[in-house]
Amino acid sequence: MGRILKIGAAQSGPIQKDEDRDSAVARLLEMMKEAHAEGCDMVVFTELALTTFFPRYYAEDRADMDSWFETDMPGPATRPLFDFSKDNGIGFTLGYGELTPDGHHFNTQVLVDKNGEIQGKYRKIHLPGHAELEPERSFQHLEKRYFEPGDLGFPVWRTMGGVIGMCICNDRRWPETFRVMGLQGVELVALGYNTPSSNSLKASETKETRQHHSRLCMQAGAYQNATWVVGVAKAGDEDGHHLFGDTMIINPDGKIVAEAKTEDDELIVFDCDLDACRFLKESTFDFAAHRRIEHYGLITEQTGAIPPEG
Ligand code: ING
């Protein structure tokens, strides 16, 4: 028997604009209690798990959006999660908008251990969307307006008996995200996402295609870095804007071993054997044996694509 980490992936249903933090936290706490009752070691919550996906709204003055952010973690509203964690020996990850004391805004996720202590913090690096109002879009996606790119890199932490990493939503679409954690020996990546079911610029792109993209990215990230991936959605209709669900747990072979069935608050549970990462890390993806970094320079030297002349 390997190093089993019993994971609860706690999908959030929609959070409406007028739903307050206490209500949102009460829903999360319900799923944390359910996870504890099922013997989970850790619960993974979604991106921006305390509020509606507010980057869909335009504000001329960015300061008008500060009420969507947390200045303290834990704060009064989120303290019940940390208390339950400490009192019951269950860890968790939580996504939220972070407003720092010196006025910086990040899309953040924290890793909390079984003592209710914050072990790690990740700030979303790949911010999708745009910074200015774009009226031609069927809806806005203003993460570049309200958040700064993360400044903490892609760290991993030795905790819970393994090597745990985090990323957030759009990060999963960039292989660099998983590879940087893979190069640190990551065994489980916990990520939350809020992904619209439609494309604001391409009406013909179906929800099914977008669900395919999401699965593809997470399955590839898992297999190509021999790690577990836990992807947790906020799902359902928020103020007329639909987000897809598909919360899932993916094993190091890139296989989906557990998947949510609804677009509501839903907990899925799986015994993740962290030792299941070992075979691929010591064979197909033995990075030291197989990678040829002398040929990879463009990946960090060049940002955009430059096709050949002609
Ligand atoms: N949401 C979406 C995501 O990356 C998106 C935005 C969807 C970008 C589809 C590109 C294509 O899943 C967030 N919150 O990043």
Short mmCIF file of all heavy atoms in Angstrom, two decimals, residues 47-48 53 107 124 126-129 141 143 168-173 193-196 198-199 205 210 213-214 244, ligand 1:
data_model
loop_
_atom_site.label_atom_id
_atom_site.label_comp_id
_atom_site.label_asym_id
_atom_site.label_seq_id
_atom_site.Cartn_x
_atom_site.Cartn_y
_atom_site.Cartn_z
N GLU A 47 -11.62 28.10 -7.50
CA GLU A 47 -11.08 29.46 -7.69
C GLU A 47 -12.13 30.47 -7.20
O GLU A 47 -13.34 30.24 -7.37
CB GLU A 47 -10.82 29.69 -9.20
CG GLU A 47 -10.42 31.10 -9.58
CD GLU A 47 -10.32 31.33 -11.09
OE1 GLU A 47 -10.98 30.60 -11.85
OE2 GLU A 47 -9.56 32.24 -11.49
N LEU A 48 -11.68 31.56 -6.59
CA LEU A 48 -12.61 32.63 -6.15
C LEU A 48 -13.83 32.00 -5.48
O LEU A 48 -14.98 32.26 -5.86
CB LEU A 48 -12.99 33.51 -7.34
CG LEU A 48 -11.84 34.29 -8.01
CD1 LEU A 48 -12.36 35.04 -9.24
CD2 LEU A 48 -11.16 35.24 -7.03
N PHE A 53 -18.09 35.20 -9.78
CA PHE A 53 -16.92 35.48 -10.62
C PHE A 53 -17.02 36.95 -11.06
O PHE A 53 -17.47 37.27 -12.16
CB PHE A 53 -16.87 34.53 -11.83
CG PHE A 53 -15.61 34.70 -12.63
CD1 PHE A 53 -14.40 34.26 -12.14
CD2 PHE A 53 -15.64 35.35 -13.87
CE1 PHE A 53 -13.23 34.44 -12.87
CE2 PHE A 53 -14.47 35.53 -14.60
CZ PHE A 53 -13.27 35.08 -14.09
N ASN A 107 -5.22 36.99 -7.77
CA ASN A 107 -6.15 35.86 -7.75
C ASN A 107 -5.37 34.73 -7.09
O ASN A 107 -4.44 34.20 -7.70
CB ASN A 107 -6.55 35.52 -9.20
CG ASN A 107 -7.64 34.47 -9.27
OD1 ASN A 107 -7.84 33.71 -8.31
ND2 ASN A 107 -8.34 34.42 -10.38
N LYS A 124 -2.13 33.52 -9.05
CA LYS A 124 -2.37 33.16 -10.45
C LYS A 124 -1.47 33.96 -11.39
O LYS A 124 -1.47 35.20 -11.35
CB LYS A 124 -3.83 33.41 -10.80
CG LYS A 124 -4.25 32.94 -12.19
CD LYS A 124 -5.75 33.13 -12.34
CE LYS A 124 -6.28 32.64 -13.67
NZ LYS A 124 -7.76 32.82 -13.76
N HIS A 126 -1.06 33.19 -15.04
CA HIS A 126 -1.63 33.40 -16.38
C HIS A 126 -3.04 34.01 -16.23
O HIS A 126 -3.98 33.29 -15.88
CB HIS A 126 -1.70 32.07 -17.12
CG HIS A 126 -0.35 31.44 -17.36
ND1 HIS A 126 0.15 30.43 -16.57
CD2 HIS A 126 0.62 31.73 -18.27
CE1 HIS A 126 1.37 30.10 -17.00
NE2 HIS A 126 1.68 30.86 -18.03
N LEU A 127 -3.14 35.31 -16.47
CA LEU A 127 -4.42 36.01 -16.34
C LEU A 127 -5.05 36.12 -17.73
O LEU A 127 -4.49 36.81 -18.60
CB LEU A 127 -4.21 37.41 -15.76
CG LEU A 127 -3.63 37.45 -14.33
CD1 LEU A 127 -3.31 38.89 -13.95
CD2 LEU A 127 -4.59 36.80 -13.33
N PRO A 128 -6.17 35.46 -17.96
CA PRO A 128 -6.81 35.52 -19.28
C PRO A 128 -7.63 36.79 -19.43
O PRO A 128 -7.76 37.59 -18.50
CB PRO A 128 -7.72 34.29 -19.26
CG PRO A 128 -8.12 34.18 -17.83
CD PRO A 128 -6.92 34.63 -17.02
N GLY A 129 -8.19 36.98 -20.60
CA GLY A 129 -9.11 38.09 -20.80
C GLY A 129 -8.39 39.38 -21.15
O GLY A 129 -7.38 39.41 -21.86
N HIS A 141 -14.38 39.67 -19.56
CA HIS A 141 -13.56 38.78 -18.73
C HIS A 141 -12.33 39.58 -18.30
O HIS A 141 -11.27 39.52 -18.89
CB HIS A 141 -13.12 37.52 -19.49
CG HIS A 141 -12.59 36.46 -18.58
ND1 HIS A 141 -13.21 35.23 -18.41
CD2 HIS A 141 -11.52 36.46 -17.75
CE1 HIS A 141 -12.51 34.52 -17.52
NE2 HIS A 141 -11.49 35.24 -17.12
N GLU A 143 -10.03 39.87 -15.90
CA GLU A 143 -9.01 39.51 -14.91
C GLU A 143 -7.77 40.37 -15.04
O GLU A 143 -7.14 40.70 -14.03
CB GLU A 143 -8.66 38.02 -15.03
CG GLU A 143 -9.79 37.10 -14.60
CD GLU A 143 -9.33 35.69 -14.37
OE1 GLU A 143 -8.47 35.47 -13.51
OE2 GLU A 143 -9.83 34.79 -15.05
N ILE A 168 -4.06 27.90 -10.87
CA ILE A 168 -5.44 28.40 -10.90
C ILE A 168 -5.91 28.56 -12.34
O ILE A 168 -5.29 29.26 -13.13
CB ILE A 168 -5.56 29.76 -10.17
CG1 ILE A 168 -5.14 29.63 -8.71
CG2 ILE A 168 -6.99 30.30 -10.28
CD1 ILE A 168 -5.09 30.96 -7.95
N CYS A 169 -6.97 27.88 -12.66
CA CYS A 169 -7.78 28.06 -13.85
C CYS A 169 -7.01 28.16 -15.17
O CYS A 169 -6.52 27.15 -15.65
CB CYS A 169 -8.68 29.27 -13.66
SG CYS A 169 -10.12 29.18 -14.69
N ASN A 170 -6.81 29.38 -15.67
CA ASN A 170 -6.15 29.54 -16.97
C ASN A 170 -4.73 28.98 -16.94
O ASN A 170 -4.22 28.55 -17.99
CB ASN A 170 -6.12 31.02 -17.37
CG ASN A 170 -5.74 31.19 -18.83
OD1 ASN A 170 -4.60 31.50 -19.14
ND2 ASN A 170 -6.69 30.97 -19.73
N ASP A 171 -4.08 28.93 -15.77
CA ASP A 171 -2.74 28.34 -15.66
C ASP A 171 -2.71 26.93 -16.25
O ASP A 171 -1.68 26.51 -16.79
CB ASP A 171 -2.33 28.24 -14.19
CG ASP A 171 -1.97 29.57 -13.55
OD1 ASP A 171 -1.31 30.41 -14.23
OD2 ASP A 171 -2.33 29.76 -12.37
N ARG A 172 -3.82 26.19 -16.16
CA ARG A 172 -3.82 24.78 -16.60
C ARG A 172 -3.64 24.68 -18.12
O ARG A 172 -3.33 23.60 -18.63
CB ARG A 172 -5.09 24.07 -16.15
CG ARG A 172 -6.38 24.41 -16.89
CD ARG A 172 -7.58 23.82 -16.18
NE ARG A 172 -8.88 23.93 -16.81
CZ ARG A 172 -9.61 25.03 -16.88
NH1 ARG A 172 -9.14 26.18 -16.38
NH2 ARG A 172 -10.80 25.02 -17.46
N ARG A 173 -3.87 25.76 -18.84
CA ARG A 173 -3.76 25.74 -20.31
C ARG A 173 -2.33 25.90 -20.80
O ARG A 173 -2.06 25.79 -22.00
CB ARG A 173 -4.64 26.85 -20.91
CG ARG A 173 -6.10 26.70 -20.54
CD ARG A 173 -6.97 27.78 -21.13
NE ARG A 173 -8.28 27.74 -20.54
CZ ARG A 173 -9.25 26.89 -20.91
NH1 ARG A 173 -9.05 26.06 -21.92
NH2 ARG A 173 -10.42 26.87 -20.30
N TYR A 193 -11.03 26.29 -10.82
CA TYR A 193 -11.30 27.05 -12.06
C TYR A 193 -12.75 27.54 -12.09
O TYR A 193 -13.64 26.89 -11.55
CB TYR A 193 -10.95 26.24 -13.31
CG TYR A 193 -11.69 24.94 -13.51
CD1 TYR A 193 -12.92 24.89 -14.17
CD2 TYR A 193 -11.13 23.74 -13.08
CE1 TYR A 193 -13.58 23.69 -14.38
CE2 TYR A 193 -11.80 22.53 -13.29
CZ TYR A 193 -13.01 22.50 -13.94
OH TYR A 193 -13.67 21.30 -14.14
N ASN A 194 -12.92 28.70 -12.72
CA ASN A 194 -14.26 29.24 -13.04
C ASN A 194 -14.22 29.46 -14.54
O ASN A 194 -13.61 30.45 -15.00
CB ASN A 194 -14.51 30.60 -12.38
CG ASN A 194 -14.66 30.58 -10.87
OD1 ASN A 194 -15.13 31.55 -10.31
ND2 ASN A 194 -14.25 29.53 -10.19
N THR A 195 -14.80 28.54 -15.32
CA THR A 195 -14.65 28.63 -16.77
C THR A 195 -16.00 28.79 -17.46
O THR A 195 -16.86 27.90 -17.35
CB THR A 195 -13.91 27.39 -17.31
OG1 THR A 195 -12.65 27.29 -16.65
CG2 THR A 195 -13.68 27.50 -18.81
N PRO A 196 -16.18 29.92 -18.16
CA PRO A 196 -17.45 30.14 -18.87
C PRO A 196 -17.71 29.05 -19.90
O PRO A 196 -16.78 28.54 -20.53
CB PRO A 196 -17.23 31.49 -19.55
CG PRO A 196 -16.17 32.16 -18.75
CD PRO A 196 -15.27 31.07 -18.26
N SER A 198 -19.23 29.43 -22.64
CA SER A 198 -19.21 29.95 -24.02
C SER A 198 -18.03 30.89 -24.21
O SER A 198 -17.41 31.33 -23.22
CB SER A 198 -20.52 30.71 -24.32
OG SER A 198 -20.66 31.78 -23.39
N ASN A 199 -17.72 31.14 -25.46
CA ASN A 199 -16.59 32.00 -25.81
C ASN A 199 -17.13 33.38 -26.18
O ASN A 199 -17.96 33.49 -27.07
CB ASN A 199 -15.83 31.38 -27.00
CG ASN A 199 -14.55 32.12 -27.33
OD1 ASN A 199 -14.55 33.35 -27.36
ND2 ASN A 199 -13.48 31.38 -27.56
N GLU A 205 -18.16 28.32 -30.78
CA GLU A 205 -17.43 27.36 -29.92
C GLU A 205 -18.39 26.78 -28.90
O GLU A 205 -18.97 27.49 -28.10
CB GLU A 205 -16.25 28.03 -29.23
CG GLU A 205 -15.37 27.04 -28.46
CD GLU A 205 -14.12 27.68 -27.91
OE1 GLU A 205 -14.20 28.25 -26.80
OE2 GLU A 205 -13.07 27.63 -28.59
N ARG A 210 -15.24 23.34 -25.15
CA ARG A 210 -14.52 23.98 -24.03
C ARG A 210 -14.27 22.99 -22.89
O ARG A 210 -13.23 23.01 -22.24
CB ARG A 210 -15.30 25.20 -23.56
CG ARG A 210 -15.33 26.29 -24.64
CD ARG A 210 -16.32 27.40 -24.32
NE ARG A 210 -15.93 28.22 -23.19
CZ ARG A 210 -15.05 29.23 -23.27
NH1 ARG A 210 -14.44 29.49 -24.41
NH2 ARG A 210 -14.78 29.96 -22.21
N HIS A 213 -11.29 21.00 -24.02
CA HIS A 213 -10.02 21.72 -23.81
C HIS A 213 -9.58 21.60 -22.35
O HIS A 213 -8.40 21.37 -22.05
CB HIS A 213 -10.19 23.20 -24.14
CG HIS A 213 -10.42 23.50 -25.58
ND1 HIS A 213 -11.07 24.67 -25.99
CD2 HIS A 213 -10.12 22.81 -26.72
CE1 HIS A 213 -11.13 24.67 -27.31
NE2 HIS A 213 -10.57 23.57 -27.77
N SER A 214 -10.54 21.76 -21.46
CA SER A 214 -10.21 21.73 -20.03
C SER A 214 -9.70 20.35 -19.61
O SER A 214 -8.63 20.24 -18.97
CB SER A 214 -11.47 22.09 -19.22
OG SER A 214 -11.21 22.06 -17.84
N PHE A 244 -19.08 25.92 -16.69
CA PHE A 244 -19.24 24.46 -16.70
C PHE A 244 -18.56 23.84 -15.48
O PHE A 244 -17.72 24.46 -14.83
CB PHE A 244 -18.75 23.83 -18.01
CG PHE A 244 -17.28 23.92 -18.33
CD1 PHE A 244 -16.35 23.14 -17.64
CD2 PHE A 244 -16.82 24.76 -19.32
CE1 PHE A 244 -15.00 23.19 -17.93
CE2 PHE A 244 -15.47 24.81 -19.63
CZ PHE A 244 -14.57 24.04 -18.94
N1 ING B 1 -11.35 31.19 -16.83
C1 ING B 1 -11.13 30.64 -18.11
C2 ING B 1 -10.07 29.53 -18.12
O1 ING B 1 -8.94 29.68 -18.50
C3 ING B 1 -10.65 31.04 -20.50
C4 ING B 1 -10.84 31.68 -19.14
C5 ING B 1 -11.52 30.05 -20.98
C6 ING B 1 -9.58 31.44 -21.26
C7 ING B 1 -11.29 29.46 -22.24
C8 ING B 1 -9.34 30.88 -22.51
C9 ING B 1 -10.20 29.86 -23.00
O2 ING B 1 -10.51 28.43 -17.80
C10 ING B 1 -10.45 31.67 -15.93
N2 ING B 1 -10.95 32.13 -14.76
O3 ING B 1 -9.26 31.66 -16.15
#
